[in-house]
Amino acid sequence: MATNEAQATQATVTLERVNTPPAQTWNYLRANDITLTVPNLSRKGDVYFALPQLFDRIQTGMGPKVTQWVTSQAADSTYVEVPAHTVRTQPIVVDIDAQKGQVADTGVMVREGATATVVVIAHGNSDTDVASAALTRIVAEANTHVHLYEFVAVGQHHTHLESVGIDADDDAVLDVRQFLLGGSTSAVGFAAALSGDNARIDLKTRYLARGNETLDINHVVRQLGKKTRAEIHESGVLDGSAHKSLRATIDLVHGAKGSKGNEAENVLVCGENVVNKTVPVILCDEDDVQGNHGATIGSVGPDQIHYLEDRGLSFDEIEDLYVRAIFDDAVIQSPTVDARHAVLARAEEVLGAEIADDLLAGLDIEEQLLDQSDSAKEA
């Protein structure tokens, strides 16, 4: 609590027009950026470990203003290197206790032919306003396989900034899963440069915004190498008076011959006062490429409502089914115990303790079935 009180009285700084897309063509919708007010701690005299300069060239999703702010506020930075041609079985975990207003600056170097998993978890709840942030930059050398999981599961008084930048070399494979589960204001920026030939990214995002929450997402994938692939899929539920902006940009750069990029979003609108802004963009400076994007925005259909009400469900319970599906997926996908705990704690806040217990029980049953299947194969 002392940390929260100190944060409430400390100096602040305004980060204007951050989380911006490469092409700003929607000024009249005011969908190009977000402005945030965040703490401005003085770290004069602190001894700070800086990441290698190699990470400075990596473009991040929220942009240089947020990068500079995070590096000025983080108590220290963390550098992790995965040796060439190894499989790192232990995940690299970035744990953000939002209740304490933590800020993390992390750099990960995945050497040629290696496999690694990175998990970013923002969690916590408090009764006072507090801000937290995670800056994660990853270099994926040739023939690497990088799994990245992001879980933003903070409470209704929290502002969280999450900025990611990845550079991928030849034949690198990026598998990214984002679960954005709440927060007063959550701003999430992701940028990947497919610099090498045959590099690939699969980015899947599931989100929930409810009440008066604000969710701001910026996805940028630059396809620079030949025959690169980008698959970007977002889906979420908006309820109450939530505000959500999604900017998704696939940039097919000159020279990226044979590359393909696809982006699609599905939005379920449950609240009458929801504000949804979806801005999909394809940039193209090469003729031998393919790019597609689209968005589907709607509400629960009357036939579905009638069908479920006939089976004893109220309208609120019907909406909760869709919300529960997001948490169900997040629990199943959680690669660490800490990530699972963060998801379940947020599920309890949103859906109640009984459903959170059901989610955990369902996961236990699934793990038992997998164990039985593995035993049968060995036999």
Side-chain angles (χ1 to χ4, degrees), residues 279-290:
V279 186
V281 174
I282 299 287
L283 303 177
C284 184
D285 189 28
E286 179 60 65
D287 54 1
D288 182 20
V289 293
Q290 296 180 26

Side-chain angles (χ1 to χ4, degrees), residues 265-338:
E265 183 192 20
N266 289 291
V267 188
L268 180 64
V269 177
C270 295
E272 295 182 359
N273 298 314
V274 163
V275 176
N276 177 69
K277 298 177 182 179
T278 298
V279 186
V281 174
I282 299 287
L283 303 177
C284 184
D285 189 28
E286 179 60 65
D287 54 1
D288 182 20
V289 293
Q290 296 180 26
N292 303 286
H293 63 70
T296 302
I297 303 168
S299 56
V300 184
D303 291 342
Q304 293 171 306
I305 293 174
H306 181 69
Y307 175 85
L308 293 170
E309 284 181 337
D310 282 350
R311 281 147 183 81
L313 295 178
S314 67
F315 183 75
D316 289 341
E317 289 173 332
I318 293 169
E319 290 185 348
D320 283 349
L321 286 177
Y322 292 92
V323 175
R324 175 172 176 162
I326 297 174
F327 283 99
D328 231 337
D329 192 19
V331 170
I332 292 170
Q333 296 285 340
S334 298
T336 67
V337 173
D338 289 341

Side-chain angles (χ1 to χ4, degrees), residues 15 42 55 58 72 134 220 227 316:
L15 303 176
S42 174
F55 291 94
I58 297 178
S72 72
V220 181
K227 297 182 179 180
D316 289 341

